[in-house]
Amino acid sequence: MKPLLRSYKGMTPKIAQDAFIAENAVLIGDVEIGAQSSIWYGCVLRGDVEKIRIGARSNIQDGTIVHVTADRFGTYIGDDVLVGHNAVIHGCTLEDGAFVGMGAVVLDGAVIEGGAMVAAGALVTPGKRVKSGELWGGNPAKKMRDLSAEQIAGLKLGTDHYVEVAAEYLKAEKSKKK
């Protein structure tokens, strides 16, 4: 079983060979997935009216929706980004090393800087910038506090873990094909 990859207006998703895309994920249109990244079960990435770019070693966890705003905002997710389950990532930028918690919503034109964290269930409203080293939460999201150096360093551990898990899934897929 393979994920649903659908072309739209001549644009077809491009996926690095070593990226893991779950069988029931849906990728549509102008979507690019970088090396060692993972798109988990039930995710929908709809790059039909703008582009979606996901860098290397990033993970988009189960049930997440990634979308764009026509002719205004693509969605750009850098390297080593962790996006928790059931998030909505819409027409925004998640810089290298950013973290978005489970069920969070990040809207048009918002920027989550590297080393910043959006708490589970938070709503980052359009155009907001979550700065490096800050934790934002609530609805609408506001700065709650600064992150400790240990917490910032720990963000990379989460993405490293998902790179390892995705590699195991890919290995199991390859052994089935033999």
Side-chain angles (χ1 to χ4, degrees):
M1 188 173 178
K2 294 186 180 248
L4 175 60
L5 305 179
R6 172 165 275 169
S7 295
Y8 183 81
K9 291 189 176 181
M11 300 299 298
T12 300
K14 295 178 180 135
I15 302 166
Q17 276 192 312
D18 60 352
F20 170 74
I21 312 297
E23 301 91 285
N24 67 346
V26 178
L27 284 67
I28 302 165
D30 194 359
V31 175
E32 292 183 11
I33 310 296
Q36 295 183 303
S37 284
S38 53
I39 310 300
W40 293 91
Y41 297 92
C43 289
V44 176
L45 284 69
R46 189 158 60 96
D48 51 1
V49 294
E50 256 297 344
K51 63 184 73 135
I52 295 172
R53 299 293 181 264
I54 297 177
R57 297 172 310 282
S58 291
N59 69 88
I60 310 300
Q61 295 175 20
D62 311 65
T64 292
I65 305 297
V66 180
H67 196 229
V68 296
T69 301
D71 303 320
R72 274 196 82 204
F73 296 107
T75 296
Y76 303 93
I77 299 173
D79 299 337
D80 298 302
V81 174
L82 192 146
V83 176
H85 311 287
N86 288 321
V88 175
I89 307 300
H90 198 281
C92 60
T93 299
L94 310 181
E95 294 181 348
D96 296 349
F99 177 98
V100 175
M102 294 183 285
V105 176
V106 183
L107 294 176
D108 295 5
V111 175
I112 312 305
E113 294 183 1
M117 182 182 286
V118 174
L123 171 64
V124 179
T125 54
K128 294 291 183 192
R129 178 175 284 269
V130 179
K131 294 189 178 185
S132 184
E134 295 180 353
L135 168 65
W136 281 45
N139 182 355
K142 294 182 170 119
K143 181 180 175 184
M144 297 174 70
R145 63 178 172 81
D146 290 329
L147 296 169
S148 69
E150 295 81 28
Q151 288 171 318
I152 294 169
L155 297 177
K156 180 81 169 79
L157 298 175
T159 56
D160 288 347
H161 167 74
Y162 271 91
V163 167
E164 290 173 20
V165 173
E168 287 297 319
Y169 274 78
L170 286 171
K171 183 177 164 185
E173 276 180 17
K174 287 179 185 174
S175 67
K176 277 194 232 177
K177 291 178 183 176
K178 289 183 181 182

